[in-house]
Amino acid sequence: SLVGQWVSELDARVEPGRLRVLTFHSGASGNARSASRHELASADVVVTSYGVLASESHDATASSASEPSSALLGVSWRRIVLD
């Protein structure tokens, strides 16, 4: 998968222990997520897919809650790279 390829590239090119890399994906139910906002915000690099991002965005816009229900969308990111 593309997500796995990005994680492999980071592992191959970054000295072990220098970056905290987290893979964010949907759970088996399609609703459960793999990390909390705190875990996402604590990572140096978060790798996910367009599909997960689209799902998170759709779930957040469908919700009437004032605070994002999505952990991914609830973090103030410094940079976002899309491939």
Side-chain angles (χ1 to χ4, degrees):
S1 76
L2 190 55
V3 169
Q5 181 64 33
W6 274 105
V7 172
S8 294
E9 292 292 329
L10 287 163
D11 287 344
R13 288 168 171 66
V14 177
E15 183 181 324
R18 296 287 295 182
L19 291 177
R20 291 164 297 183
V21 178
L22 185 132
T23 303
F24 184 80
H25 53 82
S26 295
S29 69
N31 293 323
R33 302 298 182 207
S34 61
S36 69
R37 284 184 194 147
H38 176 72
E39 290 168 315
L40 290 168
S42 296
D44 296 306
V45 177
V46 176
V47 181
T48 194
S49 69
Y50 278 110
V52 169
L53 180 60
S55 175
E56 292 283 307
S57 179
H58 179 269
D59 292 351
T61 56
S63 172
S64 61
S66 62
E67 187 164 321
S69 58
S70 162
L72 190 61
L73 300 177
V75 174
S76 294
W77 301 103
R78 290 182 63 199
R79 293 177 186 89
I80 298 174
V81 178
L82 302 172
D83 177 21

